Amino acid sequence: MIKSIYSKAGVYLLLLFMILSGCSSSEGTSGERNTGDGTKKLVIAEPVHLIGYLPLYTAIREGFFEEEGLEVEVITATGGAHVTSVVSGDAWGNIGGPESNQMANTGNSDPIVSVVNVVNRANVYLMADTEETLTDTSEESLADYLKGKTIAAGRFGGSPNLLTRWLLMDVGLDPEKDVKLEEPADASAVVSLVESGQADIANGAEPQITEGINKDVWAEPFYSFASLGDYPYSVLSVKKSTIEEDPEIVKSFVSAVMKGLKAIDEDHELAMEILKQEFPSTSEESLQASFDRAYADSLWSKDGFISEEALAKPMEVVEKTGVYTNGYRYDELIDMQFVEELSK
């Protein structure tokens, strides 16, 4: 059933590619623009405005891109458009999972390649109705606990949803038969689904975790996908042709991102200040909770590197869930030349 649905999704994705290709800006290609003062303006597409992307926002707000002669604009492109906008040339690059790039690379003569890591943990958690508790997270106990439950798993095809399906399969359950999955497009809806009794368990992250705790909807997460260790959950990627034609621009871009990673690792006060600027409508309590959980779980990459072992984890998720089964090659999907050069 999953494969059937994704076959249909593939058709829609192809149509979207064609539509976006026809709508590309005439000002330039690959989301790159020349400004009047010679600065290169680059457009980065994000799937959602997310606290996890703090290193990228920091690099923008602290002028790290400007130091490299770059101006970076971030646009939010939902529903997988953060990938298709790079294919069409409407965006210079994107931030998201490398597995999403790999799926778009099938049959693409100019594949999307990841050049620097940002979020190095699977920033996804499972929370349950406060009347339901689980302290033993062994495979057997998880299977017994999850079976028969209704789980608010997030948008079908999104990383949180796929991780939920992967976990269910990993403990021996069938996501289509042994549980009921609610799949809202709006990530914040998982709180109301559990609060209203329409779901027993929610898959989510901050600030939804703290929001649910404050409303007495659930307790602390009973399962953290961050426990999977190094996991390139959100990386920055560009077209292969961009690397070949403009290597110095890509190197400068990677350099600024690495400065952003270093800044939030060393200066927590600065990190919180930028969080408040990026999410002005979010309460300080929720931001603090997000902040604390991120550092506790070692959310962000410290060096920008994406290892073969880490990449294998999200690729196993898409393969096991049947979303993508055509295989991949690390050296075609990942290019660490700039990270390695800058690290020296």
Side-chain angles (χ1 to χ4, degrees), residues 215-274:
K215 290 184 175 181
D216 201 31
V217 174
W218 53 55
E220 279 287 321
F222 67 84
Y223 185 84
S224 168
F225 287 93
S227 64
L228 296 175
D230 288 351
Y231 189 110
Y233 191 73
S234 297
V235 300
L236 281 156
S237 311
V238 299
K239 286 181 178 179
K240 180 181 179 181
S241 61
T242 301
I243 298 173
E244 295 172 343
E245 296 168 9
D246 296 314
E248 289 304 314
I249 292 179
V250 179
K251 179 181 175 181
S252 296
F253 177 84
V254 171
S255 175
V257 173
M258 291 176 70
K259 291 177 184 177
L261 289 169
K262 183 178 180 180
I264 66 166
D265 181 51
E266 296 180 349
D267 193 339
H268 292 195
E269 288 187 8
L270 171 66
M272 177 55 76
E273 179 184 332
I274 293 174

Tab-separated table of all heavy atoms in Angstrom, residues 215-274:
chain	number	residue	atom	x	y	z
A	215	LYS	N	-0.224	21.802	28.907
A	215	LYS	CA	-1.665	21.572	28.836
A	215	LYS	C	-2.080	20.262	29.497
A	215	LYS	O	-3.255	19.893	29.490
A	215	LYS	CB	-2.125	21.567	27.375
A	215	LYS	CG	-2.076	22.928	26.690
A	215	LYS	CD	-2.643	22.828	25.276
A	215	LYS	CE	-2.726	24.185	24.613
A	215	LYS	NZ	-3.298	24.090	23.234
A	216	ASP	N	-1.089	19.553	30.059
A	216	ASP	CA	-1.329	18.263	30.707
A	216	ASP	C	-1.885	17.245	29.710
A	216	ASP	O	-2.664	16.372	30.066
A	216	ASP	CB	-2.293	18.415	31.895
A	216	ASP	CG	-2.172	17.248	32.867
A	216	ASP	OD1	-1.068	16.692	32.977
A	216	ASP	OD2	-3.190	16.895	33.493
A	217	VAL	N	-1.461	17.380	28.454
A	217	VAL	CA	-1.883	16.445	27.413
A	217	VAL	C	-1.011	15.196	27.450
A	217	VAL	O	-1.479	14.088	27.241
A	217	VAL	CB	-1.799	17.119	26.025
A	217	VAL	CG1	-2.086	16.117	24.911
A	217	VAL	CG2	-2.767	18.293	25.955
A	218	TRP	N	0.265	15.388	27.718
A	218	TRP	CA	1.199	14.271	27.820
A	218	TRP	C	2.333	14.625	28.771
A	218	TRP	O	2.472	15.770	29.201
A	218	TRP	CB	1.756	13.892	26.443
A	218	TRP	CG	2.365	15.016	25.651
A	218	TRP	CD1	3.358	15.873	26.022
A	218	TRP	CD2	1.989	15.419	24.328
A	218	TRP	NE1	3.646	16.775	25.029
A	218	TRP	CE2	2.826	16.515	23.965
A	218	TRP	CE3	1.053	14.974	23.397
A	218	TRP	CZ2	2.738	17.151	22.728
A	218	TRP	CZ3	0.979	15.604	22.175
A	218	TRP	CH2	1.797	16.678	21.850
A	219	ALA	N	3.126	13.615	29.085
A	219	ALA	CA	4.293	13.815	29.945
A	219	ALA	C	5.530	13.952	29.056
A	219	ALA	O	5.413	14.132	27.850
A	219	ALA	CB	4.430	12.639	30.899
A	220	GLU	N	6.699	13.857	29.653
A	220	GLU	CA	7.933	13.894	28.874
A	220	GLU	C	7.927	12.768	27.829
A	220	GLU	O	7.281	11.737	28.027
A	220	GLU	CB	9.143	13.719	29.793
A	220	GLU	CG	9.574	14.990	30.497
A	220	GLU	CD	10.251	15.981	29.568
A	220	GLU	OE1	11.031	15.560	28.693
A	220	GLU	OE2	10.002	17.196	29.709
A	221	PRO	N	8.618	12.925	26.706
A	221	PRO	CA	8.658	11.881	25.676
A	221	PRO	C	9.087	10.540	26.254
A	221	PRO	O	9.998	10.487	27.090
A	221	PRO	CB	9.693	12.410	24.681
A	221	PRO	CG	9.655	13.895	24.849
A	221	PRO	CD	9.410	14.118	26.306
A	222	PHE	N	8.416	9.485	25.802
A	222	PHE	CA	8.802	8.149	26.256
A	222	PHE	C	9.781	7.503	25.277
A	222	PHE	O	10.401	6.484	25.589
A	222	PHE	CB	7.572	7.247	26.464
A	222	PHE	CG	6.828	6.886	25.205
A	222	PHE	CD1	7.232	5.819	24.416
A	222	PHE	CD2	5.700	7.605	24.828
A	222	PHE	CE1	6.535	5.484	23.267
A	222	PHE	CE2	4.989	7.269	23.675
A	222	PHE	CZ	5.411	6.212	22.888
A	223	TYR	N	9.915	8.097	24.079
A	223	TYR	CA	10.885	7.581	23.120
A	223	TYR	C	11.492	8.743	22.344
A	223	TYR	O	10.779	9.637	21.886
A	223	TYR	CB	10.240	6.604	22.134
A	223	TYR	CG	11.249	5.945	21.205
A	223	TYR	CD1	11.949	4.820	21.612
A	223	TYR	CD2	11.528	6.486	19.950
A	223	TYR	CE1	12.902	4.239	20.790
A	223	TYR	CE2	12.482	5.907	19.122
A	223	TYR	CZ	13.157	4.782	19.540
A	223	TYR	OH	14.116	4.208	18.728
A	224	SER	N	12.816	8.736	22.207
A	224	SER	CA	13.528	9.785	21.475
A	224	SER	C	14.279	9.164	20.311
A	224	SER	O	15.136	8.287	20.500
A	224	SER	CB	14.514	10.499	22.411
A	224	SER	OG	15.392	11.314	21.661
A	225	PHE	N	13.986	9.613	19.105
A	225	PHE	CA	14.722	9.135	17.940
A	225	PHE	C	16.143	9.691	17.925
A	225	PHE	O	16.982	9.206	17.166
A	225	PHE	CB	13.983	9.517	16.656
A	225	PHE	CG	12.734	8.707	16.421
A	225	PHE	CD1	11.505	9.165	16.869
A	225	PHE	CD2	12.791	7.487	15.773
A	225	PHE	CE1	10.346	8.422	16.663
A	225	PHE	CE2	11.645	6.736	15.558
A	225	PHE	CZ	10.415	7.198	16.001
A	226	ALA	N	16.409	10.683	18.771
A	226	ALA	CA	17.779	11.187	18.904
A	226	ALA	C	18.705	10.104	19.441
A	226	ALA	O	19.925	10.178	19.278
A	226	ALA	CB	17.796	12.406	19.827
A	227	SER	N	18.117	9.081	20.067
A	227	SER	CA	18.901	7.973	20.602
A	227	SER	C	19.560	7.151	19.495
A	227	SER	O	20.422	6.304	19.778
A	227	SER	CB	18.013	7.057	21.461
A	227	SER	OG	17.000	6.461	20.663
A	228	LEU	N	19.185	7.394	18.233
A	228	LEU	CA	19.804	6.683	17.118
A	228	LEU	C	21.223	7.169	16.861
A	228	LEU	O	21.946	6.580	16.061
A	228	LEU	CB	18.960	6.863	15.848
A	228	LEU	CG	17.550	6.271	15.875
A	228	LEU	CD1	16.793	6.637	14.610
A	228	LEU	CD2	17.602	4.756	16.045
A	229	GLY	N	21.629	8.251	17.526
A	229	GLY	CA	22.988	8.765	17.360
A	229	GLY	C	23.132	9.632	16.125
A	229	GLY	O	22.160	10.223	15.655
A	230	ASP	N	24.361	9.714	15.596
A	230	ASP	CA	24.618	10.560	14.425
A	230	ASP	C	23.639	10.218	13.309
A	230	ASP	O	23.548	9.069	12.871
A	230	ASP	CB	26.056	10.376	13.928
A	230	ASP	CG	27.070	11.000	14.861
A	230	ASP	OD1	26.661	11.715	15.790
A	230	ASP	OD2	28.278	10.770	14.669
A	231	TYR	N	22.927	11.240	12.849
A	231	TYR	CA	21.855	11.033	11.873
A	231	TYR	C	21.680	12.353	11.121
A	231	TYR	O	21.197	13.338	11.700
A	231	TYR	CB	20.568	10.672	12.619
A	231	TYR	CG	19.401	10.212	11.763
A	231	TYR	CD1	18.978	8.880	11.806
A	231	TYR	CD2	18.691	11.096	10.961
A	231	TYR	CE1	17.890	8.451	11.056
A	231	TYR	CE2	17.610	10.668	10.210
A	231	TYR	CZ	17.205	9.351	10.266
A	231	TYR	OH	16.121	8.939	9.523
A	232	PRO	N	22.092	12.448	9.852
A	232	PRO	CA	21.990	13.712	9.115
A	232	PRO	C	20.535	14.054	8.792
A	232	PRO	O	20.061	13.839	7.677
A	232	PRO	CB	22.811	13.440	7.847
A	232	PRO	CG	22.731	11.956	7.653
A	232	PRO	CD	22.688	11.380	9.044
A	233	TYR	N	19.857	14.602	9.764
A	233	TYR	CA	18.423	14.876	9.662
A	233	TYR	C	18.144	16.066	8.758
A	233	TYR	O	17.180	16.073	7.992
A	233	TYR	CB	17.866	15.132	11.063
A	233	TYR	CG	16.358	15.176	11.152
A	233	TYR	CD1	15.611	14.008	11.049
A	233	TYR	CD2	15.688	16.377	11.364
A	233	TYR	CE1	14.230	14.040	11.139
A	233	TYR	CE2	14.308	16.422	11.453
A	233	TYR	CZ	13.583	15.246	11.342
A	233	TYR	OH	12.208	15.288	11.428
A	234	SER	N	18.995	17.086	8.855
A	234	SER	CA	18.848	18.270	8.005
A	234	SER	C	20.235	18.746	7.568
A	234	SER	O	21.045	19.150	8.400
A	234	SER	CB	18.130	19.399	8.742
A	234	SER	OG	16.809	19.011	9.081
A	235	VAL	N	20.471	18.691	6.268
A	235	VAL	CA	21.760	19.087	5.709
A	235	VAL	C	21.523	20.136	4.623
A	235	VAL	O	20.411	20.278	4.116
A	235	VAL	CB	22.503	17.867	5.122
A	235	VAL	CG1	22.756	16.833	6.203
A	235	VAL	CG2	21.689	17.233	3.982
A	236	LEU	N	22.563	20.866	4.259
A	236	LEU	CA	22.456	21.860	3.205
A	236	LEU	C	23.028	21.285	1.914
A	236	LEU	O	24.123	20.693	1.912
A	236	LEU	CB	23.191	23.139	3.600
A	236	LEU	CG	22.371	24.009	4.572
A	236	LEU	CD1	23.266	24.908	5.392
A	236	LEU	CD2	21.342	24.838	3.802
A	237	SER	N	22.276	21.456	0.825
A	237	SER	CA	22.612	20.791	-0.427
A	237	SER	C	22.436	21.721	-1.617
A	237	SER	O	21.622	22.648	-1.585
A	237	SER	CB	21.711	19.557	-0.618
A	237	SER	OG	21.684	18.749	0.545
A	238	VAL	N	23.192	21.447	-2.671
A	238	VAL	CA	23.118	22.212	-3.920
A	238	VAL	C	23.223	21.234	-5.088
A	238	VAL	O	23.521	20.050	-4.911
A	238	VAL	CB	24.259	23.249	-4.023
A	238	VAL	CG1	24.177	24.255	-2.888
A	238	VAL	CG2	25.631	22.568	-4.041
A	239	LYS	N	23.003	21.733	-6.292
A	239	LYS	CA	23.151	20.887	-7.473
A	239	LYS	C	24.624	20.537	-7.702
A	239	LYS	O	25.531	21.310	-7.372
A	239	LYS	CB	22.629	21.616	-8.712
A	239	LYS	CG	21.120	21.727	-8.823
A	239	LYS	CD	20.767	22.441	-10.120
A	239	LYS	CE	19.264	22.548	-10.318
A	239	LYS	NZ	18.927	23.262	-11.572
A	240	LYS	N	24.837	19.380	-8.316
A	240	LYS	CA	26.191	18.956	-8.662
A	240	LYS	C	26.839	19.966	-9.601
A	240	LYS	O	28.027	20.287	-9.465
A	240	LYS	CB	26.155	17.577	-9.322
A	240	LYS	CG	27.520	17.039	-9.717
A	240	LYS	CD	27.405	15.679	-10.379
A	240	LYS	CE	28.784	15.152	-10.792
A	240	LYS	NZ	28.679	13.826	-11.459
A	241	SER	N	26.056	20.495	-10.541
A	241	SER	CA	26.599	21.465	-11.493
A	241	SER	C	27.066	22.733	-10.787
A	241	SER	O	28.026	23.383	-11.227
A	241	SER	CB	25.554	21.819	-12.562
A	241	SER	OG	24.404	22.406	-11.978
A	242	THR	N	26.405	23.100	-9.698
A	242	THR	CA	26.809	24.284	-8.930
A	242	THR	C	28.190	24.070	-8.321
A	242	THR	O	29.031	24.972	-8.331
A	242	THR	CB	25.785	24.583	-7.823
A	242	THR	OG1	24.503	24.809	-8.420
A	242	THR	CG2	26.184	25.807	-7.019
A	243	ILE	N	28.426	22.876	-7.799
A	243	ILE	CA	29.735	22.552	-7.225
A	243	ILE	C	30.810	22.602	-8.301
A	243	ILE	O	31.916	23.113	-8.083
A	243	ILE	CB	29.703	21.160	-6.569
A	243	ILE	CG1	28.693	21.133	-5.416
A	243	ILE	CG2	31.093	20.750	-6.082
A	243	ILE	CD1	28.473	19.763	-4.813
A	244	GLU	N	30.491	22.090	-9.478
A	244	GLU	CA	31.463	22.034	-10.566
A	244	GLU	C	31.748	23.412	-11.165
A	244	GLU	O	32.897	23.729	-11.493
A	244	GLU	CB	30.955	21.085	-11.658
A	244	GLU	CG	30.857	19.638	-11.207
A	244	GLU	CD	30.185	18.733	-12.223
A	244	GLU	OE1	29.498	19.264	-13.130
A	244	GLU	OE2	30.331	17.496	-12.113
A	245	GLU	N	30.701	24.242	-11.294
A	245	GLU	CA	30.851	25.531	-11.964
A	245	GLU	C	31.237	26.670	-11.022
A	245	GLU	O	31.908	27.615	-11.435
A	245	GLU	CB	29.547	25.877	-12.690
A	245	GLU	CG	29.195	24.905	-13.808
A	245	GLU	CD	27.773	25.082	-14.318
A	245	GLU	OE1	27.118	26.081	-13.920
A	245	GLU	OE2	27.300	24.219	-15.086
A	246	ASP	N	30.793	26.596	-9.750
A	246	ASP	CA	31.055	27.674	-8.787
A	246	ASP	C	31.604	27.131	-7.466
A	246	ASP	O	31.044	27.395	-6.400
A	246	ASP	CB	29.764	28.462	-8.509
A	246	ASP	CG	29.245	29.184	-9.736
A	246	ASP	OD1	30.053	29.828	-10.422
A	246	ASP	OD2	28.034	29.106	-10.008
A	247	PRO	N	32.714	26.378	-7.521
A	247	PRO	CA	33.224	25.764	-6.281
A	247	PRO	C	33.590	26.782	-5.203
A	247	PRO	O	33.425	26.507	-4.011
A	247	PRO	CB	34.457	24.978	-6.762
A	247	PRO	CG	34.863	25.647	-8.038
A	247	PRO	CD	33.576	26.075	-8.677
A	248	GLU	N	34.082	27.953	-5.594
A	248	GLU	CA	34.484	28.953	-4.599
A	248	GLU	C	33.273	29.524	-3.860
A	248	GLU	O	33.342	29.817	-2.664
A	248	GLU	CB	35.275	30.076	-5.261
A	248	GLU	CG	36.673	29.652	-5.713
A	248	GLU	CD	37.500	29.069	-4.572
A	248	GLU	OE1	37.504	29.672	-3.482
A	248	GLU	OE2	38.127	28.018	-4.769
A	249	ILE	N	32.160	29.677	-4.588
A	249	ILE	CA	30.937	30.158	-3.938
A	249	ILE	C	30.426	29.111	-2.957
A	249	ILE	O	30.022	29.434	-1.836
A	249	ILE	CB	29.858	30.492	-4.992
A	249	ILE	CG1	30.285	31.715	-5.802
A	249	ILE	CG2	28.508	30.756	-4.316
A	249	ILE	CD1	29.310	32.113	-6.893
A	250	VAL	N	30.448	27.845	-3.381
A	250	VAL	CA	30.005	26.768	-2.482
A	250	VAL	C	30.904	26.709	-1.256
A	250	VAL	O	30.426	26.569	-0.124
A	250	VAL	CB	29.993	25.407	-3.212
A	250	VAL	CG1	29.550	24.301	-2.254
A	250	VAL	CG2	29.069	25.444	-4.427
A	251	LYS	N	32.206	26.847	-1.462
A	251	LYS	CA	33.148	26.824	-0.337
A	251	LYS	C	32.876	27.973	0.621
A	251	LYS	O	32.877	27.795	1.847
A	251	LYS	CB	34.583	26.902	-0.861
A	251	LYS	CG	35.636	26.906	0.240
A	251	LYS	CD	37.041	27.018	-0.341
A	251	LYS	CE	38.091	27.151	0.748
A	251	LYS	NZ	39.466	27.286	0.174
A	252	SER	N	32.614	29.165	0.079
A	252	SER	CA	32.305	30.320	0.922
A	252	SER	C	31.027	30.107	1.704
A	252	SER	O	30.923	30.464	2.890
A	252	SER	CB	32.186	31.579	0.055
A	252	SER	OG	33.417	31.898	-0.558
A	253	PHE	N	30.034	29.522	1.049
A	253	PHE	CA	28.761	29.232	1.704
A	253	PHE	C	28.980	28.256	2.868
A	253	PHE	O	28.495	28.479	3.984
A	253	PHE	CB	27.786	28.642	0.685
A	253	PHE	CG	26.454	28.246	1.267
A	253	PHE	CD1	25.452	29.177	1.429
A	253	PHE	CD2	26.218	26.938	1.663
A	253	PHE	CE1	24.220	28.820	1.976
A	253	PHE	CE2	24.997	26.567	2.211
A	253	PHE	CZ	24.002	27.515	2.363
A	254	VAL	N	29.703	27.174	2.599
A	254	VAL	CA	29.975	26.170	3.633
A	254	VAL	C	30.746	26.792	4.785
A	254	VAL	O	30.484	26.513	5.963
A	254	VAL	CB	30.746	24.967	3.038
A	254	VAL	CG1	31.222	24.027	4.146
A	254	VAL	CG2	29.869	24.208	2.045
A	255	SER	N	31.693	27.673	4.466
A	255	SER	CA	32.486	28.337	5.502
A	255	SER	C	31.597	29.129	6.452
A	255	SER	O	31.757	29.058	7.679
A	255	SER	CB	33.512	29.266	4.846
A	255	SER	OG	34.223	30.005	5.830
A	256	ALA	N	30.634	29.865	5.896
A	256	ALA	CA	29.730	30.666	6.728
A	256	ALA	C	28.859	29.781	7.604
A	256	ALA	O	28.618	30.089	8.779
A	256	ALA	CB	28.864	31.552	5.836
A	257	VAL	N	28.373	28.664	7.057
A	257	VAL	CA	27.533	27.741	7.840
A	257	VAL	C	28.347	27.147	8.988
A	257	VAL	O	27.858	27.022	10.122
A	257	VAL	CB	26.966	26.614	6.945
A	257	VAL	CG1	26.239	25.571	7.792
A	257	VAL	CG2	26.021	27.198	5.898
A	258	MET	N	29.601	26.795	8.718
A	258	MET	CA	30.454	26.233	9.763
A	258	MET	C	30.705	27.253	10.868
A	258	MET	O	30.815	26.903	12.045
A	258	MET	CB	31.756	25.718	9.159
A	258	MET	CG	31.550	24.478	8.281
A	258	MET	SD	33.047	23.895	7.447
A	258	MET	CE	33.999	23.253	8.838
A	259	LYS	N	30.800	28.530	10.487
A	259	LYS	CA	30.915	29.587	11.502
A	259	LYS	C	29.647	29.657	12.345
A	259	LYS	O	29.698	29.893	13.557
A	259	LYS	CB	31.164	30.937	10.827
A	259	LYS	CG	32.523	31.081	10.174
A	259	LYS	CD	32.646	32.426	9.468
A	259	LYS	CE	33.960	32.562	8.715
A	259	LYS	NZ	34.039	33.846	7.964
A	260	GLY	N	28.491	29.452	11.695
A	260	GLY	CA	27.219	29.441	12.418
A	260	GLY	C	27.141	28.286	13.394
A	260	GLY	O	26.665	28.444	14.532
A	261	LEU	N	27.600	27.112	12.975
A	261	LEU	CA	27.627	25.949	13.856
A	261	LEU	C	28.508	26.204	15.073
A	261	LEU	O	28.143	25.887	16.213
A	261	LEU	CB	28.147	24.721	13.097
A	261	LEU	CG	27.239	24.114	12.028
A	261	LEU	CD1	28.014	23.088	11.184
A	261	LEU	CD2	26.025	23.439	12.666
A	262	LYS	N	29.674	26.799	14.820
A	262	LYS	CA	30.614	27.075	15.912
A	262	LYS	C	30.045	28.113	16.872
A	262	LYS	O	30.181	27.988	18.099
A	262	LYS	CB	31.936	27.561	15.337
A	262	LYS	CG	33.010	27.815	16.396
A	262	LYS	CD	34.319	28.254	15.757
A	262	LYS	CE	35.384	28.495	16.835
A	262	LYS	NZ	36.675	28.936	16.235
A	263	ALA	N	29.377	29.125	16.321
A	263	ALA	CA	28.851	30.213	17.150
A	263	ALA	C	27.813	29.717	18.153
A	263	ALA	O	27.863	30.073	19.332
A	263	ALA	CB	28.249	31.302	16.270
A	264	ILE	N	26.869	28.881	17.693
A	264	ILE	CA	25.828	28.427	18.625
A	264	ILE	C	26.350	27.375	19.585
A	264	ILE	O	25.784	27.169	20.668
A	264	ILE	CB	24.578	27.903	17.889
A	264	ILE	CG1	24.897	26.632	17.091
A	264	ILE	CG2	23.983	28.971	16.994
A	264	ILE	CD1	23.658	25.913	16.631
A	265	ASP	N	27.451	26.716	19.215
A	265	ASP	CA	28.054	25.740	20.122
A	265	ASP	C	28.777	26.444	21.259
A	265	ASP	O	28.752	25.995	22.407
A	265	ASP	CB	29.022	24.841	19.346
A	265	ASP	CG	29.659	23.780	20.229
A	265	ASP	OD1	28.909	23.071	20.932
A	265	ASP	OD2	30.905	23.643	20.207
A	266	GLU	N	29.384	27.582	20.958
A	266	GLU	CA	30.210	28.275	21.949
A	266	GLU	C	29.481	29.387	22.690
A	266	GLU	O	29.853	29.725	23.804
A	266	GLU	CB	31.445	28.864	21.248
A	266	GLU	CG	32.370	27.813	20.659
A	266	GLU	CD	33.592	28.409	19.978
A	266	GLU	OE1	33.603	29.649	19.778
A	266	GLU	OE2	34.519	27.648	19.649
A	267	ASP	N	28.459	29.973	22.079
A	267	ASP	CA	27.795	31.133	22.671
A	267	ASP	C	26.286	30.882	22.787
A	267	ASP	O	25.517	31.183	21.873
A	267	ASP	CB	28.061	32.376	21.814
A	267	ASP	CG	27.665	33.669	22.518
A	267	ASP	OD1	26.841	33.604	23.449
A	267	ASP	OD2	28.144	34.736	22.109
A	268	HIS	N	25.874	30.327	23.899
A	268	HIS	CA	24.467	29.976	24.091
A	268	HIS	C	23.582	31.212	24.237
A	268	HIS	O	22.402	31.175	23.868
A	268	HIS	CB	24.317	29.059	25.309
A	268	HIS	CG	24.922	27.703	25.109
A	268	HIS	ND1	24.648	26.632	25.931
A	268	HIS	CD2	25.786	27.243	24.170
A	268	HIS	CE1	25.329	25.569	25.522
A	268	HIS	NE2	26.023	25.917	24.458
A	269	GLU	N	24.125	32.279	24.767
A	269	GLU	CA	23.338	33.514	24.889
A	269	GLU	C	23.005	34.068	23.504
A	269	GLU	O	21.887	34.515	23.249
A	269	GLU	CB	24.111	34.550	25.702
A	269	GLU	CG	24.186	34.232	27.187
A	269	GLU	CD	24.823	35.368	27.972
A	269	GLU	OE1	25.051	36.453	27.378
A	269	GLU	OE2	25.082	35.188	29.178
A	270	LEU	N	23.975	34.034	22.619
A	270	LEU	CA	23.743	34.475	21.245
A	270	LEU	C	22.703	33.592	20.581
A	270	LEU	O	21.798	34.083	19.889
A	270	LEU	CB	25.053	34.417	20.448
A	270	LEU	CG	24.925	34.650	18.941
A	270	LEU	CD1	24.483	36.077	18.651
A	270	LEU	CD2	26.254	34.334	18.238
A	271	ALA	N	22.813	32.277	20.787
A	271	ALA	CA	21.872	31.335	20.183
A	271	ALA	C	20.439	31.641	20.624
A	271	ALA	O	19.510	31.660	19.802
A	271	ALA	CB	22.246	29.905	20.563
A	272	MET	N	20.246	31.910	21.909
A	272	MET	CA	18.915	32.224	22.406
A	272	MET	C	18.411	33.553	21.849
A	272	MET	O	17.222	33.690	21.506
A	272	MET	CB	18.916	32.254	23.937
A	272	MET	CG	17.566	32.660	24.550
A	272	MET	SD	16.166	31.635	23.991
A	272	MET	CE	16.462	30.142	24.959
A	273	GLU	N	19.294	34.516	21.722
A	273	GLU	CA	18.914	35.819	21.178
A	273	GLU	C	18.400	35.676	19.740
A	273	GLU	O	17.387	36.273	19.369
A	273	GLU	CB	20.125	36.756	21.211
A	273	GLU	CG	19.857	38.142	20.641
A	273	GLU	CD	21.102	39.005	20.613
A	273	GLU	OE1	21.990	38.796	21.466
A	273	GLU	OE2	21.186	39.871	19.730
A	274	ILE	N	19.083	34.862	18.956
A	274	ILE	CA	18.671	34.675	17.560
A	274	ILE	C	17.384	33.857	17.478
A	274	ILE	O	16.534	34.112	16.625
A	274	ILE	CB	19.809	34.026	16.757
A	274	ILE	CG1	20.972	35.009	16.667
A	274	ILE	CG2	19.341	33.616	15.362
A	274	ILE	CD1	22.221	34.458	16.031
